[in-house]
């Protein structure tokens, strides 16, 4: 392969597919390289698909994409050891087309998206790992080296859509190694059960889905969350915590997941299911402050590789698709204007991102990681306190409610000073505001 | 205790026999200089085991390619971590 392409896209996840799709549709000569057997065979997600980002590229995606269920109900559970207190939001509004959120199975979804990319005219080569970036004498990126014979391929621009473990960006010195405090490790299992059982269990119809976000003592004091999502005939269950926290303790990730599955509020939901896969993946959760430089002479970074994940709202694939699309649009603009893919010209990509929800949202939550790092009570004491309070109020035992209220308030104060409580509330409000 | 092997048994792999993609650079560093050996705790596939003599043994056949071991070994940087050759390694059926 000594041909020269307009663009090489490394990776066939949502960011790479969005970039390659957009470029190919505009008529550019695009090569996409994926190390997996097929698009999706290396990828892990919860997984919730937010329709909007995809719809902007493929308006009729609903006709052919492998979608599991559209979500009509969202639950948030704050867990103590044997109880939870939570909210459920269910709305018929979510039952009206076009639906806004779906559960998906990544291996299937990525393959479908990849099909669309190829239809648009991009050349996809799987089972090929890019091992390094090629540079010219002016240090500009001019192509890639792959692990196949004669694997030197040239292009005007290389888009790194290679996910959270971007060995390429690291080797090229675009940014240093990831820090444990900026990534979360998630482990996940998929449990199959008959569709009817699942629907009865969650009180939903044939295509309707429920998602449960889990928070509290299930992470053993580590900064993290759990999730349980309903697919057509399976349930995805997982838990993820910051690597810096995993590093400081003695529970293995699989023991943590096992403990979650045994929780008395979770166990009945999984009963009778058959576990068919166990997966693990990192999530770049460092937020706005951890975003590296994302463009340079002949290169751009999109998706997880650039830390584009909104951890607070569990959004990643939509940021991936949006950054991929905006990077591609920048390349198309330069190409059309006959401009070179220099750092100065590609800076337009960052400008586009700044104006999009991607940077606006990440900026909004930029203090969040720090607040949670320094305030462990959000994962230990508070979940315990609110659960015990609920128990106290609901347990009828002849004690009057006013006395119970006093008890609850003093238990809160005992565990965390009044100033501490007010400070936490303030910090959280500031960060969410 | 749960056996992680039972979980991994559900997964599909194409192992690149004789060409592990993750390697411990200097086994002596793990045995003598690393106090915490957290790779043996944090690896979600249980690829790292602590032997009686304080040595850490790595068998990467069940590796899920998450990257954890590379990142948490930030004090000694003793893990050589590459992606497997194209097409090899874990192949997620669902992901
Ligand atoms: C457990 C979990 C739950 C999540 N839940 C959600 C959710 O519900 N909703 C949501 O929107 N987001 C969620 N996310 C985040 C979301 O999965 C990511 O943000 C998204 O997948 C990022 O897409 P990407 O294309 O940037 O990277 P990836 O999807 O990781 O794709 C990168 C691709 O590049 C390939 N690659 C890497 N290096 C090379 C190389 N050198 N040569 C060739 N190919 C290479 C990989 O094989 C892979 O296919 C979740 C993540 C996890 C781990
Ligand atoms: S990459 Fe992940 S699964 Fe593989 S050996 Fe390292 S920690 Fe274990």
């Amino acid at each position: 392969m000594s041909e020269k392409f307009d663009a090489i896209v490394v990776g066939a996840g949502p960011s790479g597919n969005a970039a390659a799709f957009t470029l190919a549709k505009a008529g550019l000569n695009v090569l996409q390289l994926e190390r997996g057997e097929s698009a999706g065979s290396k990828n892990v997600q919860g997984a919730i698909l937010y329709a909007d980002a995809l719809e902007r590229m493929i308006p009729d995606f609903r006709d052919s994409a492998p979608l599991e269920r559209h979500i009509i109900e969202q639950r948030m559970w704050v867990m103590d050891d044997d109880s939870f207190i939570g909210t459920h939001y269910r709305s018929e509004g979510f039952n009206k087309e076009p639906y806004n959120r779906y559960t998906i199975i990544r291996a299937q979804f990525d393959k479908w998206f990849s099909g669309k990319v190829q239809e648009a005219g991009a050349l996809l080569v799987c089972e090929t790992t890019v091992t390094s970036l090629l540079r010219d004498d002016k240090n500009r990126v001019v192509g890639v080296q792959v692990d196949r014979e004669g694997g030197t391929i040239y292009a005007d621009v290389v888009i790194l859509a290679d996910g959270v473990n971007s060995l390429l960006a690291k080797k090229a010195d675009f940014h240093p190694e990831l820090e444990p405090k900026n990534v979360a490790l998630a482990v996940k299992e998929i449990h199959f059960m008959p569709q009817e059982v699942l629907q009865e269990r969650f009180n939903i119809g044939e295509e309707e889905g429920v998602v449960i976000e889990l928070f509290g003592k299930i992470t053993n004091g580590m900064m993290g969350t759990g999730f349980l999502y309903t697919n057509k005939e399976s349930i995805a269950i997982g838990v993820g915590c910051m690597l810096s926290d995993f590093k400081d303790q003695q529970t293995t990730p699989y023991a943590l997941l096992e403990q979650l599955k045994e929780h008395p509020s979770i166990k009945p939901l999984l009963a009778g299911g058959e576990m068919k896969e166990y997966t693990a993946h990192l999530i770049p959760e460092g937020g706005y402050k951890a975003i590296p430089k994302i463009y340079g002479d002949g290169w751009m970074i999109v998706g997880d590789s650039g830390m584009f994940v909104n951890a607070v709202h569990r959004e990643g694939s939509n940021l991936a698709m949006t950054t991929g699309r905006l990077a591609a649009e920048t390349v198309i603009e330069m190409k059309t204007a006959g401009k070179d893919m220099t750092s100065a010209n590609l800076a337009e990509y960052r400008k586009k991102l700044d104006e999009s929800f991607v940077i606006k949202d990440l900026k909004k939550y930029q203090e969040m990681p720090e607040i949670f790092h320094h305030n462990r009570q959000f994962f230990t004491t508070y979940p315990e306190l609110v659960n015990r309070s609920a128990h106290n109020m609901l347990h009828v035992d002849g004690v009057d409610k006013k006395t119970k209220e006093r008890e609850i308030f003093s238990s809160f104060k005992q565990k965390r000073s009044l100033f501490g409580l007010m400070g936490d509330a303030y910090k959280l409000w500031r960060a969410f505001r | 205790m749960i056996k992680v092997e039972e979980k991994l048994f559900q997964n599909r792999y194409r192992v690149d026999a004789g060409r592990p993609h993750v390697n411990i650079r200097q086994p002596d560093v793990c045995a003598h200089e690393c106090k915490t050996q957290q790779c043996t705790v944090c690896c979600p596939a249980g690829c790292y085991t602590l032997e009686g003599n304080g040595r850490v043994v790595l068998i990467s056949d069940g590796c899920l390619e998450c990257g954890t071991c590379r990142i948490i070994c930030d004090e000694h940087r003793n893990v050589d971590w590459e992606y497997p050759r194209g097409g090899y390694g874990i192949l997620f059926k669902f992901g």
Side-chain angles (χ1 to χ4, degrees):
Chain A
M1 287 195 263
S2 64
E3 199 182 337
K4 186 178 169 200
F5 292 86
D6 292 328
I8 291 174
V9 177
V10 184
S15 66
N17 282 338
F21 179 83
T22 309
L23 291 165
K25 238 187 123 213
L28 271 67
N29 189 8
V30 185
L31 172 68
Q32 188 181 25
L33 299 162
E34 165 59 49
R35 66 189 190 88
E37 179 185 52
S38 58
S41 65
K42 295 290 184 185
N43 302 342
V44 176
Q45 195 178 323
I48 297 174
L49 172 76
Y50 305 94
D52 178 72
L54 182 58
E55 209 165 8
R56 283 168 198 262
M57 290 174 284
I58 308 179
D60 62 353
F61 77 91
R62 293 179 178 86
D63 298 343
S64 57
L67 305 168
E68 294 284 308
R69 291 171 179 276
H70 65 267
I71 294 148
I72 64 156
E73 180 176 326
Q74 167 109 21
R75 307 180 183 174
M76 299 250 239
W77 289 3
V78 180
M79 325 274 288
D80 195 2
D81 295 325
D82 60 2
S83 63
F84 76 84
I85 182 165
T87 58
H88 293 195
Y89 180 70
R90 183 177 180 124
S91 166
E92 259 317 282
F94 286 140
N95 238 342
K96 292 197 179 68
E97 294 180 79
Y99 305 125
N100 182 255
R101 297 191 295 164
Y102 299 87
T103 45
I104 53 167
I105 289 176
R106 269 294 290 273
Q108 295 163 7
F109 176 83
D110 286 8
K111 218 175 190 166
W112 166 85
F113 197 176
S114 175
K116 292 285 168 194
V117 173
Q118 288 164 270
E119 272 172 40
L123 173 63
L124 169 71
V125 182
C126 287
E127 304 200 327
T128 305
T129 304
V130 177
T131 49
S132 62
L133 300 178
L134 300 173
R135 313 248 201 168
D136 67 4
D137 49 6
K138 295 206 181 85
N139 218 22
R140 290 180 298 213
V141 171
V142 291
V144 300
Q145 183 72 42
V146 303
D147 66 344
R148 284 175 184 255
E149 238 174 88
T152 313
I153 316 164
Y154 295 93
D156 290 337
V157 63
V158 176
I159 298 183
L160 294 178
D162 53 346
V164 58
N165 285 304
S166 181
L167 298 187
L168 291 172
K170 205 189 62 178
K171 275 189 211 162
D173 262 340
F174 296 160
H175 59 71
E177 179 61 280
L178 293 163
E179 288 178 54
K181 73 174 170 60
N182 287 335
V183 276
L185 167 65
V187 284
K188 176 193 158 186
E189 285 178 6
I190 190 161
H191 291 249
F192 280 79
M193 61 187 67
Q195 217 167 305
E196 309 78 59
V197 172
L198 197 145
Q199 281 159 206
E200 250 170 58
R201 217 166 257 183
F202 290 88
N203 190 23
I204 45 178
E206 228 171 86
E207 311 215 308
E208 302 165 351
V210 170
V211 308
I212 315 182
E213 305 291 354
L214 309 160
F215 192 75
K217 288 182 78 183
I218 48 158
T219 52
N220 289 0
M222 289 184 270
M223 174 172 162
T225 51
F227 61 89
L228 187 155
Y229 299 158
T230 55
N231 297 323
K232 200 156 274 166
E233 45 177 6
S234 63
I235 288 177
I237 178 149
V239 59
C241 302
M242 299 312 291
L243 261 193
S244 43
D245 285 14
F246 262 123
K247 198 171 164 255
D248 288 341
Q249 53 85 57
Q250 289 302 322
T251 316
T252 61
Y254 40 96
L256 197 69
L257 179 56
E258 223 44 42
Q259 178 188 308
L260 174 62
K261 281 161 55 192
E262 286 299 315
H263 192 283
S265 306
I266 299 289
K267 201 174 178 182
L269 297 175
L270 298 173
E274 196 189 340
M275 198 277 264
K276 291 213 175 155
E277 190 172 67
Y278 166 67
T279 60
H281 206 278
L282 296 179
I283 312 178
E285 297 201 349
Y288 181 74
K289 293 180 176 169
I291 298 173
K293 182 154 191 269
I294 48 166
Y295 62 89
D297 286 324
W299 60 273
M300 299 164 105
I301 292 179
V302 298
D304 274 12
S305 179
M307 274 276 159
F308 294 114
V309 166
N310 179 344
V312 177
H313 288 273
R314 274 251 162 77
E315 293 177 30
S317 61
N318 56 329
L319 279 68
M321 287 184 210
T322 306
T323 53
R325 175 173 61 81
L326 294 177
E329 287 174 357
T330 308
V331 169
I332 295 165
E333 272 172 33
M334 295 311 142
K335 189 95 194 159
T336 315
K339 290 186 185 164
D340 287 340
M341 305 297 163
T342 59
S343 184
N345 287 338
L346 295 181
E348 174 63 22
Y349 165 48
R350 176 68 204 221
K351 227 191 277 159
K352 283 188 176 23
L353 278 183
D354 285 341
E355 286 158 17
S356 73
F357 78 93
V358 173
I359 293 290
K360 284 182 187 160
D361 282 356
L362 290 177
K363 228 180 198 165
K364 173 166 153 66
Y365 296 120
Q366 58 181 321
E367 306 300 338
M368 222 59 168
E370 279 299 301
I371 289 178
F372 283 128
H373 269 301
H374 296 300
N375 296 274
R376 290 304 138 145
Q377 59 280 9
F378 286 118
F379 302 92
T380 51
T381 319
Y382 289 170
E384 187 181 312
L385 285 174
V386 292
N387 273 275
R388 304 251 156 108
S389 306
H391 188 86
N392 192 355
M393 269 298 171
L394 299 171
H395 185 75
V396 177
D397 53 7
V399 178
D400 66 282
K401 303 294 186 224
K402 188 130 203 182
T403 306
K404 286 189 176 219
E405 255 172 39
R406 260 201 303 274
E407 271 170 30
I408 290 169
F409 190 64
S410 80
S411 72
F412 265 85
K413 272 207 304 195
Q414 234 169 39
K415 293 255 183 178
R416 180 116 174 102
S417 75
L418 194 53
F419 275 119
L421 278 174
M422 284 175 13
D424 288 348
Y426 177 71
K427 277 178 222 150
L428 208 58
W429 171 74
R430 286 259 314 178
F432 265 111
R433 195 171 48 124
Chain B
M1 263 302 275
I2 347 106
K3 283 220 172 76
V4 69
E5 291 82 1
E6 281 168 31
K7 291 176 184 282
L8 299 176
F9 184 69
Q10 296 296 329
N11 295 353
R12 209 179 131 224
Y13 293 94
R14 194 187 295 151
V15 176
D16 200 355
R19 290 178 66 155
H21 64 286
V22 184
N23 285 293
I24 293 174
R25 237 168 248 170
Q26 296 178 316
D28 278 351
V29 171
C30 303
H32 303 301
E33 287 170 42
C34 182
K35 293 194 178 60
T36 53
Q37 299 174 325
Q38 280 305 74
C39 50
T40 63
V41 176
C42 299
C43 169
C47 293
Y48 295 83
T49 41
L50 186 58
E51 301 281 289
N53 56 7
R55 301 206 146 256
V56 175
V57 173
L58 163 65
I59 299 170
S60 63
D61 290 0
C63 176
L64 298 164
E65 297 167 28
C66 68
T68 295
C69 52
R70 188 189 82 243
I71 297 171
I72 61 159
C73 192
D74 55 354
E75 201 176 317
H76 302 285
R77 295 270 178 237
N78 202 27
V79 179
D80 262 330
W81 201 98
E82 290 290 333
Y83 281 121
R85 273 198 291 168
Y88 287 93
I90 180 77
L91 296 166
F92 293 123
K93 297 171 285 183
F94 309 102

